[in-house]
Amino acid sequence: MNRNKALVVLSGGQDSTTCLYWAKKHFEEVYAISFKYGQKHELEVELARRIASKAGVPFEVKNVSFISELSTGCSLTDNSIPMDSDKPADSVPNTFVPGRNMFFLSIAAVYAREHDIMNIVTGVSQTDFSGYPDCRDSFIRSLNVTLNLAMDEQFVIHTPLMWIDKAETWKMADELGIFDIIRHETLTCYNGIPGDGCGHCPACKLRRHGLEEYLKQKYK
Ligand code: ZN
């Protein structure tokens, strides 16, 4: 496996786009992969394509829409369900797509193996932990071991954002010279509005709060 090659799981959002440029800084050859999993806003896949093209990175989309057919009750894939605005005390929010990161990373690993890519990069973060179990460090480490055992390979899953918050993610983007790309060309909003988004969904609130925090630190 080629240790100078990396595959980024790119959703077109703030976190994965920052990871794409992080990967470009750290590896010689970078690839991006995106997934259609039955999300309401397939625009994110088109934005991911544009972002990858601008970054000069080969881009591939895989259709895994069966993921949304496997379970019910997710507001990101079912138009009839209103989105949880806060994390419920006793369960995961209904924006959680069960198994999503497991499927994404497993498929990414098979793709990586086929293309002789040793490194896999994902933008998950435990710090802004929204209650998604598959964004936790323990899960990623466990899956890394499992994928290596499954294919007898030496994949390394990188999570540059695992221990930093949204303000620090903005800082990283700024240091990578992509602040404006992140600000205007990515889609984080659960209501499918690029850039600064709708302003009131949980993803927009988290993103804006982080941005305000970062700008406050930068210009104080
Ligand atoms: Zn929003």
Side-chain angles (χ1 to χ4, degrees):
M1 303 211 107
N2 189 330
R3 63 179 66 245
N4 298 314
K5 289 164 88 169
L7 174 65
V8 180
V9 178
L10 184 67
S11 72
Q14 173 183 7
D15 294 343
S16 65
T17 303
T18 304
C19 286
L20 179 72
Y21 282 87
W22 177 90
K24 275 174 61 89
K25 186 179 166 188
H26 289 90
F27 301 100
E28 285 169 16
E29 231 179 291
V30 176
Y31 296 70
I33 190 167
S34 208
F35 297 98
K36 288 189 182 182
Y37 62 91
Q39 66 268 56
K40 288 179 209 166
H41 305 296
E42 286 200 354
L43 173 65
E44 64 184 51
V45 175
E46 282 322 301
L47 289 182
R49 185 190 303 282
R50 258 182 256 169
I51 289 162
S53 153
K54 194 167 194 167
V57 167
F59 178 75
E60 186 109 16
V61 182
K62 295 292 172 204
N63 190 336
V64 291
S65 51
F66 67 87
I67 295 176
S68 63
E69 294 160 16
L70 290 172
S71 50
T72 56
C74 174
S75 62
L76 290 192
T77 54
D78 186 336
N79 279 314
S80 67
I81 300 174
M83 196 189 317
D84 281 340
S85 52
D86 293 304
K87 176 173 152 31
D90 56 343
S91 63
V92 295
N94 69 15
T95 49
F96 176 57
V97 183
R100 181 171 54 176
N101 280 339
M102 181 186 68
F103 286 120
F104 285 7
L105 289 166
S106 301
I107 293 164
V110 178
Y111 180 91
R113 182 179 182 277
E114 186 61 27
H115 292 79
D116 198 32
I117 302 167
M118 184 171 144
N119 303 284
I120 299 168
V121 184
T122 169
V124 296
S125 172
Q126 181 158 340
T127 313
D128 277 329
F129 181 46
S130 318
Y132 298 162
D134 57 356
C135 288
R136 289 182 289 197
D137 190 55
S138 55
F139 164 69
I140 299 294
R141 285 166 184 267
S142 162
L143 185 64
N144 199 154
V145 171
T146 298
L147 291 170
N148 287 344
L149 290 171
M151 288 178 263
D152 197 17
E153 294 290 357
Q154 300 293 323
F155 296 115
V156 180
I157 302 182
H158 299 264
T159 53
L161 312 182
M162 182 59 80
W163 305 111
I164 68 175
D165 63 17
K166 273 283 182 284
E168 291 165 310
T169 304
W170 280 108
K171 182 167 188 266
M172 183 187 282
D174 206 5
E175 286 166 358
L176 288 165
I178 51 159
F179 182 85
D180 287 335
I181 293 178
I182 300 295
R183 179 89 195 256
H184 302 297
E185 296 175 36
T186 61
L187 190 157
T188 304
C189 174
Y190 286 151
N191 289 311
I193 302 167
D196 287 340
C198 74
H200 54 76
C201 76
C204 279
K205 281 189 200 159
L206 192 62
R207 173 175 161 137
R208 191 185 58 224
H209 182 255
L211 177 60
E212 287 169 357
E213 192 66 27
Y214 169 59
L215 293 176
K216 216 191 307 171
Q217 290 164 13
K218 187 178 177 182
Y219 294 111
K220 82 174 172 208

